[in-house]
Amino acid sequence: MDSPHQAQQAWQHINPLLRANEPRRVVIVGAGATGVELAAELAKVSQRLGRYSQAAHLQIILIEAAQRILPAGPVRLSEQARRALIRQGVDVRVRTRIQRAEAGCLFTANGERIGSDLQFWAAGIKGDDWLTELDGLETNHLNQLKVSATLQTWQDPDIFVIGDSAECPQPDGSFVPPRAQAANQAACHLATQFKRRLKGRKLQPFVFHDGGMVIAIGHNNAVGALANNKLILKGRLIRTLYDAIFRLHQQVLFGWGRVTALILLKRLKDILNPHYKGL
Ligand SMILES: Cc1cc2nc3c(=O)[nH]c(=O)nc-3n(C[C@H](O)[C@H](O)[C@H](O)COP(=O)(O)OP(=O)(O)OC[C@H]3O[C@@H](n4cnc5c(N)ncnc54)[C@H](O)[C@@H]3O)c2cc1C
């Protein structure tokens, strides 16, 4: 899901399942941040609707190929998130690689068949195909353009790439992750590097500093890895931090005036509207 339109389309598929007269199964492939947040949110919806009708029950299966969910985060964060999901009734399956998908059915690499009423693919990002067609520039299997540590393409040092479209190596041999904070840091880095370049000075490499990770688990809960992954926290306070980060992000885009208006509007809607619409 990458746009409000796609989110609405997804909701149009979820909505009938919640109206069904018998339990329905949703399978989410990929337990990164998106898959985990989606599973937790759907579990919460199902739980809330269960107060009105036992029929509106979703069986949610979250499938991950790696050894643990949230494999990009620290082990303790994964464990906290796994426990929270299981408490919410989510069936979490790790070390399970999906090989093939058909309408109503997914097949694992071991040949297991997993029936589903709705499937979500949340197993990572891939760049647009046209990135592979830029004359002579090398891309990886995710269609990211390969760049050096200074964010310059290997083939042409006058072309810089930042954000999700770049495969940028780091000193420890890893690559810069496709995250908003990484894109933001790379943009700031490049702004200073351009000044250096104009002065004829050597460019410095971009090193990503991980400010942490906060994952929402339902409405009032979140898990977070902060202080260079030394601090693993969970609960309502971390959920407040999650919401604050979201508002700070909006502030960068829209300014405080509009963000304040959005917060007030949301409060008003929460008072006037039911939490879930269209049921
Ligand atoms: C559902 C979801 C949840 C996420 N949650 C988090 C999170 O909690 N924390 C986090 O750190 N990261 C998160 N991310 C990742 C984060 O959004 C990205 O890493 C970040 O937006 C990358 O920034 P970017 O500028 O490289 O790309 P984008 O933000 O995708 O911006 C690229 C822009 O280029 C435009 N564009 C594309 N092709 C063309 C073209 N040919 N011509 C002109 N314009 C074009 C696109 O429309 C888009 O506006 C999430 C991503 C998704 C999809």
Side-chain angles (χ1 to χ4, degrees), residues 1-2 33-34 37 125 128 130 162-165 177-183 214 242:
M1 278 179 274
D2 211 11
T34 305
E37 290 195 350
I125 60 119
D128 278 343
W130 63 263
I162 57 170
D164 285 4
S165 301
R179 278 155 63 183
Q181 55 174 316
V214 186
Y242 179 95

Side-chain angles (χ1 to χ4, degrees), residues 37-58:
E37 290 195 350
L38 182 63
E41 182 64 25
L42 289 177
K44 197 77 194 173
V45 179
S46 177
Q47 198 185 2
R48 284 210 173 185
L49 291 174
R51 289 184 198 160
Y52 306 101
S53 155
Q54 284 299 320
H57 173 67
L58 289 184

Side-chain angles (χ1 to χ4, degrees), residues 131-152:
L131 285 165
T132 63
E133 292 156 17
L134 296 174
D135 193 21
L137 298 183
E138 198 185 346
T139 49
N140 64 12
H141 67 291
L142 298 173
N143 294 350
Q144 289 172 310
L145 289 157
K146 292 189 175 197
V147 293
S148 65
T150 49
L151 300 163
Q152 294 162 291

Side-chain angles (χ1 to χ4, degrees), residues 40 77 95 98 107 113 144-145 161 171 186 208-209 238 252 268:
L77 182 84
R95 294 188 206 92
I98 295 298
F107 296 88
R113 183 182 177 282
Q144 289 172 310
L145 289 157
V161 190
F208 168 58
H209 297 286
I238 296 300
V252 173
L268 198 64

Side-chain angles (χ1 to χ4, degrees), residues 61-140:
I61 304 179
L62 179 64
I63 296 178
E64 170 58 50
Q67 305 255 345
R68 55 188 174 91
I69 65 167
L70 299 172
V75 176
R76 274 172 55 219
L77 182 84
S78 302
E79 193 45 33
Q80 298 274 14
R82 190 184 70 86
R83 281 198 218 138
L85 287 172
I86 289 172
R87 266 200 305 276
Q88 292 190 21
V90 177
D91 179 355
V92 181
R93 300 186 192 180
V94 292
R95 294 188 206 92
T96 307
R97 182 174 290 280
I98 295 298
Q99 204 163 47
R100 197 156 57 89
E102 285 179 5
C105 194
L106 289 153
F107 296 88
T108 69
N110 297 336
E112 191 192 346
R113 183 182 177 282
I114 303 171
S116 58
D117 294 295
L118 186 60
Q119 305 163 0
F120 283 99
W121 192 258
I125 60 119
K126 192 170 182 190
D128 278 343
D129 286 337
W130 63 263
L131 285 165
T132 63
E133 292 156 17
L134 296 174
D135 193 21
L137 298 183
E138 198 185 346
T139 49
N140 64 12

